[in-house]
Amino acid sequence: MADVTMENPGTARPDILGIEDLKVHYPVRQGFGFRRGLLKAVDGVNLDLKAGECLGLVGESGCGKSTLAQSILGLVPASGGRIVLDGQDVSGASSHSDRLDRARIVQMVFQDPFASLNPRHTVGQSLGGPLKLHGIGNASEREDRVAEMLRKVGLRPDAAKRYPHEFSGGQRQRICIARALIVEPKLVVCDEPVSALDVSIRAQIINLLLELKNELGVALLMISHDLGVVEHMCDRIAVMYLGRIVEQGRWDEIFTAPAHPYTRSLIASIPDPMNPASGSIRLQGEIPSALDPPPGCAFNPRCSQAIAACRAGTVPEFSALSPTHHARCHLLQGL
């Protein structure tokens, strides 16, 4: 069974993103074209995201989060399934005009602000380039728009005349956020946007993203391995493990009643400043290779609660714990 998508009760907001049974598989070859198999980076993911909503996608490094993000942006091709952005099926879109249309709907804030900006371009050129590419405004209007966006992210308009090396990491990430928002997309994918920053300024960037989401009505897909970040930001959370979603629900459901052993392990590892002993629980072992995943539930080699069914060849289906909370675990079958 593929992942489920969930409607938020009591909302009439339209879907900005719809992902249906998405797969991103890479053939792996060794020597003279000899084929070893398929690396299943994303293996049958379903997600939905509504206008103005923030969805957190969490999991360890190597679980497929960034590959999923790049597929949404069209940076890597999908092997199967559908991606629908603002009502448009973009699964097979590959022409230049198709890519431009997609870029008006969805933009991305990358993890490393030091590598995300062209060091030879001024900030004004980096922010004004997308406007010129999409034919938005004349030169004077684009200059005004750049100044406006710099103010929105807490920088002075004269920053447009300076180069990236003249700014701190937090300021560079503000510039990257401004660049992502300047064409007024309906969805911004944030791939670990604070993990490369000093702890002292992470909260500033998180709060800035929340303020801009509320002010501009943009939807956010927040990708992180840190549940502490998504707990503060997100309306709903999807937990990903080895290419599949293993649990999803409202943030309060995930944090107060986590159902999947993997989710519980992630939550148990969150440090609590008021409790020095917290965060001491760590997952045992390493995430398996997506080239050779374990049979049955992919988490079973690391799960202290695994039973015989977990190690069999059947992937567990989603169990509904509430209309908005679902988990993929054999221990929940029949509940």
Side-chain angles (χ1 to χ4, degrees):
M1 178 180 174
D3 305 335
V4 296
T5 56
M6 298 180 294
E7 296 290 334
N8 284 346
T11 180
R13 291 181 295 179
D15 283 343
I16 293 300
L17 172 67
I19 298 175
E20 302 174 9
D21 197 28
L22 183 68
K23 298 180 176 67
V24 180
H25 295 172
Y26 299 104
V28 177
R29 302 176 187 276
Q30 184 178 23
F32 303 104
F34 176 76
R35 181 167 180 169
R36 284 183 55 196
L38 287 176
L39 191 152
K40 299 179 179 180
V42 177
D43 195 28
V45 166
N46 286 11
L47 285 176
D48 67 274
L49 181 57
K50 296 190 177 298
E53 184 184 25
C54 183
L55 173 67
L57 181 64
V58 301
E60 294 170 282
S61 297
C63 73
K65 305 185 304 295
S66 293
T67 302
L68 177 60
Q70 292 167 7
S71 184
I72 294 169
L73 272 288
L75 301 178
V76 298
S79 306
R82 298 175 70 229
I83 300 174
V84 179
L85 285 170
D86 197 24
Q88 304 175 38
D89 187 342
V90 298
S91 306
S94 59
S95 69
H96 178 67
S97 62
D98 288 335
R99 291 193 293 270
L100 283 179
D101 290 343
R102 183 184 293 207
R104 285 300 302 269
I105 300 171
V106 56
Q107 286 285 318
M108 190 165 187
V109 176
F110 293 92
Q111 176 178 358
D112 186 357
F114 295 92
S116 299
L117 296 169
N118 189 327
R120 302 190 179 201
H121 288 178
T122 65
V123 169
Q125 290 173 320
S126 292
L127 269 62
L131 296 175
K132 187 175 182 180
L133 180 65
H134 291 284
I136 300 173
N138 55 36
S140 176
E141 291 168 339
R142 291 195 290 268
E143 186 175 336
D144 291 342
R145 177 64 176 160
V146 167
E148 178 189 358
M149 283 307 307
L150 287 171
R151 291 190 190 97
K152 283 185 182 295
V153 299
L155 296 174
R156 292 169 54 92
D158 60 10
K161 300 177 182 179
R162 297 161 62 188
Y163 287 87
H165 73 270
E166 301 179 63
F167 297 91
S168 68
Q171 290 172 325
R172 292 191 200 193
Q173 196 63 301
R174 289 174 184 268
I175 294 166
C176 292
I177 292 169
R179 181 179 60 184
L181 291 170
I182 201 162
V183 296
E184 300 180 341
K186 296 185 178 181
L187 168 63
V188 174
V189 178
C190 301
D191 189 3
E192 304 274 10
V194 299
S195 63
L197 304 178
D198 292 340
V199 174
S200 59
I201 58 175
R202 290 183 184 181
Q204 298 176 23
I205 300 300
I206 290 170
N207 289 331
L208 172 64
L209 286 167
L210 284 175
E211 291 169 7
L212 292 171
K213 178 184 84 73
N214 294 331
E215 178 184 348
L216 304 176
V218 65
L220 297 179
L221 177 59
M222 176 61 58
I223 297 174
S224 179
H225 66 277
D226 186 344
L227 264 74
V229 170
V230 298
E231 180 183 16
H232 181 69
M233 292 190 65
C234 299
D235 303 300
R236 290 187 296 127
I237 295 171
V239 182
M240 193 170 186
Y241 188 79
L242 207 63
R244 290 193 177 104
I245 304 299
V246 298
E247 185 167 359
Q248 56 180 311
R250 298 193 317 265
W251 76 268
D252 56 313
E253 294 172 320
I254 296 295
F255 281 94
T256 60
H260 197 282
Y262 180 60
T263 308
R264 291 198 293 270
S265 298
L266 290 177
I267 292 174
S269 69
I270 301 174
D272 181 353
M274 305 303 294
N275 180 10
S278 70
S280 59
I281 298 176
R282 293 290 182 268
L283 281 166
Q284 299 298 314
E286 301 291 334
I287 189 168
S289 169
L291 182 62
D292 186 24
C297 174
F299 187 60
N300 82 77
R302 306 172 70 189
C303 181
S304 62
Q305 299 175 267
I307 59 177
C310 304
R311 291 181 280 270
T314 303
V315 175
E317 296 187 354
F318 268 105
S319 297
L321 307 172
S322 81
T324 55
H325 188 190
H326 298 72
R328 187 192 292 275
C329 179
H330 281 299
L331 297 173
L332 302 172
Q333 300 298 305
L335 295 182

